[in-house]
Amino acid sequence: MYAIVDIETTGGHASANGITEIAICIHDGKKVTRRFKSLVNPQRDIPVYIRALTGITNEMVSTAPLFEDVAHEIYHLLKGQIFVAHNVNFDYSFLRYHLHAAGYELNANKLCTVRLGRKIMPGLLSYSLGKLCSHLGIGNNSRHRAMGDAEATAHLFSLYLKSDTANHIGQALKLNSKEQRLPANLPKADVDALPNCPGVYYFHDEKGKVVYVGKAKNLKKRVCSHFTGNNAGQQRQEFLKSIHRISHQVCGTELIAFVLEAVEIKRLWPKYNRSLKRFENTYGLYAYEDQRGYLRLAVDKHRKHMPSIYACNSLLEGYSLLNKLIETFSLCPKMCFVQKNDQPCSGNNVNACACEGHETPNEYNIKVTAAIDELKKALPTFAIRDEGRNGEEHSCILIEEGRFYGMGYISHYFDANNIQQLKNYLTPYPGNDYIKNIVTGYASRYPERKVSFAG
């Protein structure tokens, strides 16, 4: 037996919205044998746009029963039946959430008439309930009302049962079938095409735009994990609704996947990624030549199009480094913007200080250049050589002078000890401290995979 369900609600997610109307058609595989419908008092205001869409007003539901008053009958109508709906996860998440609040636990096998339509009647321009009914000549004089849409879905489901020569419904109902967990608009073929290996995956919306990027040690397992559970929150429901397609890139190792995910989030700025958007080098140590020809060092906010000598996450870190260089190489605090008052220079040799003109640009610049060179020498340069996507290649990530340079794949036989030759085989990428810390941490844990370069 099938329970074909449609509900009207005050909003798009169950955790903060109520049900205003419910209809259930019990279907025996040939016809509807029982019907149930009821308005429901959601105990909150129905938004104007929903009133306009459904025709259900606050006045109409003011005297209707609360959901808890009809929960017992609804639960026993659904218990033991196959739960069928158009975009089933929406209706199921609402009813499961509100039945739980009323003291009932709904656990039903599900069928989605959107997903079934794509399989049984492929090639249509749209699989919305209205467009399907129009295409198939199914009448519905009460669109966007629960019983009108439930009756139309029941009629549609009857046609599916008659047309399902390939047994798609039976396949979906198998105990090990997880297809009904998938978002309504996501082709199962996209999930089936995912390999069980490391990589990066992309969720695309209806227009093809990437709305989420993720990394995985096992692509298929990780992607499927997004669709388990019955979280009724707004963010999850909107997220699932937006997924229409999945693409992916296979990576040689989980480390490559970690780095590529961070790079792609910065490049694509997907709507539903949040955490990695926050990682950004806030400050940097910069060098420039002033009008008199003196090289000046300064700590400043991160500048997107001006490379820094050293990237740092705080002003304190930047000035701590700069003060060490001033002390070690007898640089001028005023020329480095550390001392900003009009008092005499606090440098090591006040009588031969550049800010007083006692050092020529050439003399002072030699010290600044030495400080920069020493700083760069202290920054690590190494590569990580690891497993590739197949037995003929290795993956490779390069850190140059403390910065993430790029990554790629090299031949199993390639000698990676020459950094200039290696760079010809790698793709440069923008980096940040998040990537640098991941790679350096990995190098510490797996020193046998680290390739060092001669100075």
Side-chain angles (χ1 to χ4, degrees):
M1 299 288 282
Y2 305 93
I4 298 174
V5 181
D6 191 82
I7 60 173
E8 304 301 331
T9 69
T10 62
H13 60 286
S15 61
N17 288 284
I19 296 171
T20 59
E21 189 175 37
I22 180 171
I24 302 172
C25 294
I26 302 300
H27 194 293
D28 65 1
K30 294 181 180 179
K31 62 183 184 300
V32 174
T33 61
R34 184 179 175 186
R35 293 172 176 83
F36 168 88
K37 72 172 181 177
S38 177
L39 287 170
V40 180
N41 185 342
Q43 296 183 287
R44 67 201 73 199
D45 181 66
I46 302 173
V48 173
Y49 71 93
I50 292 181
R51 280 182 254 159
L53 179 69
T54 64
I56 301 173
T57 65
N58 291 317
E59 291 73 24
M60 289 170 62
V61 298
S62 62
T63 57
L66 303 179
F67 185 85
E68 62 191 44
D69 297 330
V70 292
H72 178 79
E73 185 173 3
I74 290 170
Y75 174 74
H76 284 284
L77 277 170
L78 299 177
K79 184 181 178 182
Q81 315 291 3
I82 296 164
F83 192 108
V84 183
H86 207 69
N87 191 2
V88 69
N89 289 322
F90 174 83
D91 299 78
Y92 188 80
S93 70
F94 259 91
L95 285 172
R96 193 173 192 274
Y97 180 87
H98 287 286
L99 282 169
H100 175 77
Y104 300 92
E105 293 299 327
L106 177 64
N107 288 291
N109 207 348
K110 298 178 290 181
L111 285 174
C112 178
T113 51
V114 178
R115 300 194 63 81
L116 289 175
R118 293 182 185 278
K119 291 176 175 291
I120 298 171
M121 299 178 177
L124 301 183
L125 293 176
S126 171
Y127 289 88
S128 69
L129 183 59
K131 293 290 179 62
L132 275 171
C133 289
S134 176
H135 176 78
L136 297 169
I138 299 172
N140 184 358
N141 295 322
S142 299
R143 288 189 63 191
H144 303 300
R145 291 297 299 269
M147 184 51 79
D149 285 350
E151 289 276 15
T153 304
H155 192 160
L156 179 65
F157 186 64
S158 295
L159 292 178
Y160 286 172
L161 287 167
K162 293 177 183 177
S163 306
D164 186 21
T165 56
N167 193 31
H168 291 297
I169 294 174
Q171 292 294 323
L173 289 174
K174 285 185 177 180
L175 290 177
N176 62 350
S177 173
K178 299 178 180 178
E179 182 172 354
Q180 301 309 313
R181 297 179 183 176
L182 302 181
N185 297 302
L186 177 64
K188 185 172 181 289
D190 281 17
V191 178
D192 291 340
L194 293 168
N196 296 299
C197 66
V200 169
Y201 57 93
Y202 307 80
F203 290 156
H204 302 258
D205 65 13
E206 187 174 12
K207 296 180 179 179
K209 184 177 180 180
V210 175
V211 294
Y212 184 83
V213 175
K215 47 79 175 55
K217 186 175 183 179
N218 182 313
L219 279 166
K220 180 169 286 188
K221 185 176 180 180
R222 177 68 185 102
V223 168
C224 289
S225 74
H226 281 284
F227 311 131
T228 59
N230 289 286
N231 187 325
Q234 179 181 16
Q235 180 179 330
R236 175 176 167 79
Q237 293 303 315
E238 289 181 354
F239 173 59
L240 295 177
K241 193 185 299 183
S242 71
I243 300 171
H244 283 67
R245 190 170 66 83
I246 302 174
S247 61
H248 69 277
Q249 286 194 58
V250 171
C251 297
T253 64
E254 189 180 11
L255 175 63
I256 293 280
F258 263 102
V259 175
L260 183 58
E261 178 200 37
V263 168
E264 291 291 69
I265 287 173
K266 286 294 183 184
R267 181 177 73 88
L268 298 167
W269 211 248
K271 179 180 180 180
Y272 291 105
N273 285 99
R274 287 174 174 82
S275 59
L276 289 185
K277 289 180 179 178
R278 297 195 301 267
F279 287 95
E280 191 66 75
N281 296 321
T282 311
Y283 295 93
L285 178 64
Y286 294 91
Y288 70 93
E289 186 177 300
D290 68 15
Q291 291 181 336
R292 297 181 298 161
Y294 285 94
L295 275 179
R296 310 285 293 270
L297 296 180
V299 177
D300 202 353
K301 288 185 177 180
H302 172 71
R303 298 181 182 183
K304 189 173 182 180
H305 301 294
M306 183 175 177
S308 62
I309 301 168
Y310 182 84
C312 43
N313 289 321
S314 69
L315 204 59
L316 179 63
E317 180 187 355
Y319 276 115
S320 176
L321 173 63
L322 184 53
N323 279 318
K324 288 179 182 178
L325 296 178
I326 290 170
E327 179 70 26
T328 303
F329 294 92
S330 299
L331 304 182
C332 172
K334 286 191 173 183
M335 299 288 282
C336 295
F337 303 96
V338 170
Q339 183 181 345
K340 299 179 182 179
N341 56 36
D342 295 328
Q343 300 299 316
C345 181
S346 60
N348 292 344
N349 191 349
V350 178
N351 296 322
C353 197
C355 65
E356 300 293 335
H358 298 304
E359 283 183 300
T360 66
N362 286 339
E363 291 170 334
Y364 185 72
N365 291 351
I366 289 172
K367 296 194 297 184
V368 175
T369 302
I372 294 172
D373 289 343
E374 188 64 27
L375 177 59
K376 288 183 175 181
K377 286 179 184 178
L379 297 174
T381 295
F382 64 90
I384 298 291
R385 185 169 189 163
D386 213 331
E387 294 179 7
R389 297 162 297 186
N390 55 60
E392 300 300 317
E393 66 180 18
H394 282 164
S395 62
C396 190
I397 298 177
L398 177 61
I399 298 292
E400 185 178 31
E401 295 180 347
R403 300 171 183 269
F404 169 64
Y405 172 83
M407 59 187 179
Y409 297 92
I410 57 178
S411 166
H412 184 81
Y413 305 102
F414 181 78
D415 182 2
N417 294 317
N418 185 309
I419 189 171
Q420 294 306 319
Q421 289 185 12
L422 177 61
K423 288 165 80 169
N424 293 330
Y425 291 88
L426 303 182
T427 301
Y429 289 105
N432 54 34
D433 275 358
Y434 173 79
I435 295 174
K436 181 185 72 175
N437 292 339
I438 286 176
V439 178
T440 54
Y442 188 88
S444 298
R445 293 194 304 274
Y446 303 100
E448 71 278 5
R449 301 172 192 178
K450 181 177 177 181
V451 178
S452 299
F453 301 96

